[in-house]
Every structure is written in structure tokens, then in C-alpha cells.
Amino acid sequence: MLDDTFSNQPILPDNLPTVSSQAFTPLSPMYMKVNLMCRLTFWLIVVSALLTLYWQPWFVLPKTLELYLPQLQLAAGIFGLLTSAYGIIADKNKGYALREHDFSYHSGVIFKSVVSQPILRIQHVELKHGPIDRHFGLSNLEIFSAGGSMHTFAIPGLPEEKARELRSYVLTHSDIAEND
């Protein structure tokens, strides 16, 4: 007896949907502000430590260090500003898309990446947040693939409530997808 339900029709490459047709949701503006604040605070501490070392009265600095310390301070300050500016651009290029059958995350400025995970293959979803994230009401959503011990991708900087909604949706729909 032949099974009439089996089908394996060819799909033409011209008929495939494009990744760019996905509507990606940007991350929370609060995430971008918190990231910028953390970056600037780190570089402020580095520059302050170098300034303190230069102006400290407790011991004499070697001549070589004393000579190059102001240039090192300037370089650290400029590098801190440049990495902070790059971080702003990178954070604006991060986003996620949830569709009927898959979950996608895109990121990158120079090297762009889009990672998609079929909902049917999602084994579990974790919410994580450190003390700074908790203070600002943000969470990271980690998506784990079936058969893998590492997360497929993590979406940082989601508002706590939105992260819980996404987690709940994915977990309930991965069960439904298995029954189809």
C-alpha cells in the first residue's frame, strides 16, 4: 500500500524567503545605556589608576615609566572612548525575531551574524541576570538546542517581563510543534 501523504517537492532557490525579510526587534534602550555606563566606568577606573600612579607621592617612578605614563594615560582614554563608541554601534545592531517555527538573533557590525533555531529543536530556555542587570530590570534569555550542552544563542538586555513572555511562548509552542 502506497502512502499518499509523503511529499518531497523541489524548492527553487529564487523562491526561498530572505533573512533580511525578518522583522528583528531591537534590544532594550536601557541595555544600551547600562552597557555604555559599564564601559565608561571601566575605562574611567583604568585612566584614574594611571593618573594616581603618575601623581602619587609615596615612591619614585622609574624614569622610563614616568616619561611614557602620560602617553599611556592618553592612549587608554582614547581607546576607552573608541571602544565605547563601537559598543554603542554594536548594541544597536543586535536584535531578535520570533516567528511561527523559529527564533532568530542577529548581531555584528563588521562581521554580521544571524543565528536561527527551529522552535521544535529547542530543548530548554534559561533566564539569567547578574546584579547590574537585576538592578535595571534586565535579563538574558539563553536558548538551548536539543542535543547540545551549550546555548545556541543568548539574547542580552531584555526587559525582565519580555524575557519571561518569550521564554513561556517558546516552551509552550515547542510542545505544540511536537504534536503537529
Side-chain angles (χ1 to χ4, degrees):
M1 189 185 269
L2 290 173
D3 184 9
D4 293 331
T5 59
F6 177 75
S7 173
N8 195 10
Q9 297 296 317
I11 298 174
L12 299 174
D14 294 339
N15 296 338
L16 292 173
T18 61
V19 173
S20 61
S21 68
Q22 289 187 34
F24 286 97
T25 304
L27 300 182
S28 167
M30 180 58 72
Y31 168 74
M32 295 176 210
K33 290 176 187 173
V34 169
N35 256 0
L36 179 61
M37 179 189 69
C38 289
R39 281 186 209 99
L40 290 176
T41 301
F42 172 78
W43 286 107
L44 182 64
I45 290 170
V46 169
V47 170
S48 296
L50 291 171
L51 282 169
T52 302
L53 182 62
Y54 185 73
W55 293 105
Q56 58 78 28
W58 304 292
F59 57 89
V60 178
L61 294 173
K63 279 290 182 205
T64 310
L65 184 60
E66 191 175 329
L67 181 65
Y68 291 111
L69 206 51
Q71 289 89 348
L72 187 60
Q73 294 164 355
L74 182 63
I78 291 171
F79 188 72
L81 290 175
L82 290 175
T83 58
S84 296
Y86 178 82
I88 292 169
I89 296 167
D91 288 345
K92 287 183 179 182
N93 284 320
K94 294 177 183 176
Y96 65 92
L98 180 60
R99 298 189 302 181
E100 194 175 359
H101 297 286
D102 62 12
F103 204 162
S104 300
Y105 175 70
H106 82 90
S107 62
V109 176
I110 298 169
F111 300 102
K112 297 185 183 255
S113 130
V114 176
V115 180
S116 295
Q117 177 68 47
I119 290 179
L120 184 60
R121 296 278 302 152
I122 294 175
Q123 179 147 358
H124 70 279
V125 182
E126 288 184 10
L127 287 179
K128 291 190 174 182
H129 43 260
I132 294 173
D133 288 337
R134 238 186 338 268
H135 178 76
F136 290 100
L138 299 173
S139 288
N140 296 327
L141 186 71
E142 293 184 354
I143 307 293
F144 289 82
S145 171
S149 61
M150 297 290 292
H151 62 268
T152 304
F153 58 86
I155 303 172
L158 292 171
E160 181 85 28
E161 189 59 35
K162 177 57 73 180
R164 289 186 191 283
E165 288 172 8
L166 289 170
R167 180 180 183 275
S168 176
Y169 178 85
V170 169
L171 291 177
T172 58
H173 283 74
S174 63
D175 293 341
I176 292 169
E178 288 176 3
N179 296 330
D180 285 344

